Amino acid sequence: MSKAAEIEAFRRLRTELTNFAAVNSACTIDHDSEKAVLLRLGDDNNLSYLEACIGSFELRISTGQGLDYETLLNDRDVERALALCDAVVSGRGVTVSGPRGYPTRSWIFIDSRGFKEAIKSTAVSVLSCRRARSIKKSLWQRSKLPALSSETA
């Protein structure tokens, strides 16, 4: 992809995020410039955010997990980023956490803007995965992502 296409995708995402924040009361734009945008989803207790720059975006959800360096090259990537925001605001996701501080894993279920998939958060280390398999299932805790507003995007 050309740099011009990446810049155009970022500009479109920037415009769409501004509209998204205007429609959703739980969202605010904390930073907006020609090179980066930061969308805050939720409040202090359930804070998630989407950070985008030319060529990529990152999503951090309130559980501490998220997606790192997702590509932002075309209109499909823009729509995927917006679908992720829709899912976080609507609380469509689940987090699994283990005992004694074992790393958590989160899934975000997107079902809007032409996407229907479950997206898994960033992977934990191989060593943690091996340890996690030895923990009894009854010790794992599952919790849903909180719905940030009653509005649907």
Side-chain angles (χ1 to χ4, degrees), residues 1-59:
M1 292 302 269
S2 68
K3 191 71 169 171
E6 292 178 17
I7 292 170
E8 186 58 36
F10 173 73
R11 285 183 182 157
R12 179 165 177 253
L13 179 63
R14 210 173 129 209
T15 303
E16 293 287 339
L17 289 178
T18 302
N19 296 337
F20 187 83
V23 171
N24 294 288
S25 60
C27 302
T28 56
I29 293 185
D30 278 355
H31 176 77
D32 187 11
S33 71
E34 290 293 321
K35 294 186 178 185
V37 64
L38 178 66
L39 175 71
R40 185 170 41 132
L41 304 122
D43 58 10
D44 293 334
N45 297 331
N46 297 311
L47 182 63
S48 300
Y49 66 88
L50 179 105
E51 182 178 4
C53 61
I54 296 171
S56 67
F57 71 90
E58 294 183 21
L59 176 72

Side-chain angles (χ1 to χ4, degrees), residues 46-79:
N46 297 311
L47 182 63
S48 300
Y49 66 88
L50 179 105
E51 182 178 4
C53 61
I54 296 171
S56 67
F57 71 90
E58 294 183 21
L59 176 72
R60 288 282 162 249
I61 55 176
S62 57
T63 60
Q65 294 292 313
L67 303 171
D68 291 329
Y69 302 108
E70 295 290 311
T71 59
L72 184 60
L73 305 174
N74 53 37
D75 286 342
R76 182 165 171 76
D77 294 337
V78 170
E79 292 297 325

